[in-house]
Structures are given as structure tokens and as C-alpha cells.
Amino acid sequence: MYKFPSASASILLIFLALLTVGCSQEDTADPVVTDKEDKTAEKDVAENNMASKNDPLAGYANNRAGYYGYGSPASAEQIAGWDIDVRPDGVGLPEGSGSVEDGETLYEDKCAECHGTFGEGEGRYPVLAGGRGSLKDARPTKTVGSYWPYTSTLYDYIHRAMPFTQPESLSADETYAITAYVLYLNDLVEDDFVLSLDNLASVHLPNEGNFVADPRPDVANERCMENCRDPGEIKILSEVSPRAAEQAST
């Protein structure tokens, strides 16, 4: 015969049932968020959005090869600070001009101490003028007038690296003027010549035609890690001649 539970047992069963229901409701109920926690979350979202706005690479760093989660693309202003090279056809030259007369004064003030009054060089500093016809000598004199290929190279070097103690301190007009004077020292222009953006590419140096393009192809070989060629089977197709090596060492 079935027996009903005692009063105390019934009370215990009811308590356990209520406890189970309460736990289930507590697990599924939404967590309570205080005003302080809500404001902190909003601040974090705002900071993340600002970081993404300031970093153009945020959001796709994993899709960019070689990107390790730091740095940002260079701005146009930053690129302009480095983009100062000049091509032989004049591309890259700034607006401006400078005369041989002005260049003489600037040269004596900023260049003669190292390169000599007439470009002859002081001590072991480079000679800038003379040496025409000496390139076949055992010890050729390589100057702007005897060896250099382009006038743009002269302008670019002066602008980029001179004066020796204050590189990139010369204005465009000063650089044009000093370039004009060095050309004059090499008997390539007259004393009333004015060099500018418009005519620099038309001034050709005597040795320009003796420079040729490098015929070797551009290569990007992958490093061999297994089943590699025997180094003994690889032939050297070009090398420095003994005479050239001797001259380089002296």
C-alpha cells in the first residue's frame, strides 16, 4: 500500500523544488549592469573606434603580409621629406635658379675649405674640377668634368649631402648657384650662365656617353633548403680582373 510522505518530508521536497527553479532562473537571467559599468563600456568602445580611425591599418592587419601590428603608412608630408632625388631628365628638380656669379660667393663660403678655391681638393677631400682625358691613366682623376655622368647628379649630391657639416641646409636657389659654379670650374658653362629648373637637363657632362645601362637582369631567387645544386657546378660568369683589383687596393 502506498504511503504518503510525512509533513516534514513534504516541506523538504517543496524547498528543493523551489531551490532548483531559482537556480535555473538565475542562470538564464540577464546580468545586472550598473551605471558605472555601462559608462566604462561606452568609453572603451569610443577609444577603440578612435584607435581604428587613427590607424588606417587597424582591422586588416592580419591580411597584410609582413605587418606585425605596429606602425602606420607614411603621410604625404613625410614622403615629401625623403623624396628629394633628381632624375637626369630633370624630374624631381624644384623651382628656382642660381647664377655662376652667386655660386662663386657661396662656394668660397661653404665649399672651398674642403674642395679648394678652384675645385682642386684640399687634403684628401674630392677634387671637383680638371682631370679631363685622364680616365685611361693608371690613376685617373675622377671629377665632375672628367667622369661624372649627369648634371642632375651634381645638383642632387650638393642638395642632399653638402656642406659636409650641414647637409640639406642649402636652399634650391643656393644649390642651383653652386652647381652652376662647379660647372664653370670645369669649363662647361660661361661666367654669365644662370642654371635653373628649365635648363639643367640640357647641360650635358663630357663623360655621359660612356655610361651604359646595367645589362644584368633583376633576380629574386628563393633560398634553397633541400636538394640544392652542388656549389662546384656553379660557374662564375663575371669577376673583377687582377688589374682592377690591384687598382682598387691602391
Side-chain angles (χ1 to χ4, degrees):
M1 176 180 292
Y2 177 77
K3 293 182 179 181
F4 290 97
S6 64
S8 59
S10 298
I11 294 173
L12 179 61
L13 290 174
I14 293 172
F15 176 78
L16 292 175
L18 292 174
L19 181 62
T20 303
V21 173
C23 292
S24 176
Q25 291 177 346
E26 183 178 352
D27 292 340
T28 58
D30 294 333
V32 177
V33 180
T34 65
D35 290 341
K36 182 178 180 180
E37 292 173 337
D38 188 47
K39 291 179 180 179
T40 301
E42 290 179 357
K43 181 180 179 181
D44 291 341
V45 171
E47 290 179 350
N48 289 335
N49 290 338
M50 181 60 68
S52 298
K53 182 178 180 181
N54 293 335
D55 184 3
L57 298 178
Y60 64 91
N62 293 333
N63 297 326
R64 181 185 177 197
Y67 181 65
Y68 298 101
Y70 58 88
S72 60
S75 66
E77 183 179 359
Q78 290 172 325
I79 294 174
W82 288 93
D83 188 18
I84 62 174
D85 62 295
V86 180
R87 291 189 346 195
D89 59 1
V91 172
L93 285 168
E95 295 284 348
S97 63
S99 66
V100 170
E101 182 179 2
D102 291 338
E104 181 178 12
T105 303
L106 289 165
Y107 179 90
E108 291 176 353
D109 181 43
K110 299 179 181 295
C111 313
E113 181 179 0
C114 296
H115 297 289
T117 304
F118 303 102
E120 72 277 12
E122 294 289 345
R124 297 183 64 85
Y125 286 100
V127 179
L128 299 180
R132 190 81 64 86
S134 70
L135 295 184
K136 293 183 179 180
D137 296 347
R139 297 183 68 86
T141 302
K142 296 182 178 181
T143 71
V144 173
S146 70
Y147 177 73
W148 287 39
Y150 304 111
T151 305
S152 60
T153 308
L154 177 59
Y155 179 97
D156 182 74
Y157 190 81
I158 293 174
H159 181 215
R160 185 188 303 273
M162 295 290 113
F164 182 69
T165 56
Q166 295 177 302
E168 294 189 42
S169 63
L170 297 171
S171 68
D173 289 343
E174 289 174 328
T175 307
Y176 276 116
I178 295 176
T179 302
Y181 185 67
V182 174
L183 293 174
Y184 171 73
L185 290 177
N186 283 276
D187 299 321
L188 298 174
V189 298
E190 301 297 329
D191 58 1
D192 59 350
F193 180 73
V194 177
L195 187 67
S196 68
L197 166 66
D198 298 326
N199 64 9
L200 186 144
S202 65
V203 180
H204 297 279
L205 302 186
N207 199 43
E208 178 180 340
N210 293 323
F211 281 82
V212 296
D214 190 342
R216 296 172 296 183
D218 292 331
V219 295
N221 294 333
E222 295 182 2
R223 178 178 296 181
C224 179
M225 303 302 294
E226 58 183 358
N227 299 323
C228 304
R229 292 182 59 184
D230 181 0
E233 298 177 354
I234 300 175
K235 297 181 179 180
I236 299 176
L237 301 180
S238 63
E239 59 183 326
V240 178
S241 65
R243 175 179 171 80
E246 180 181 355
Q247 290 178 349
S249 64
T250 58

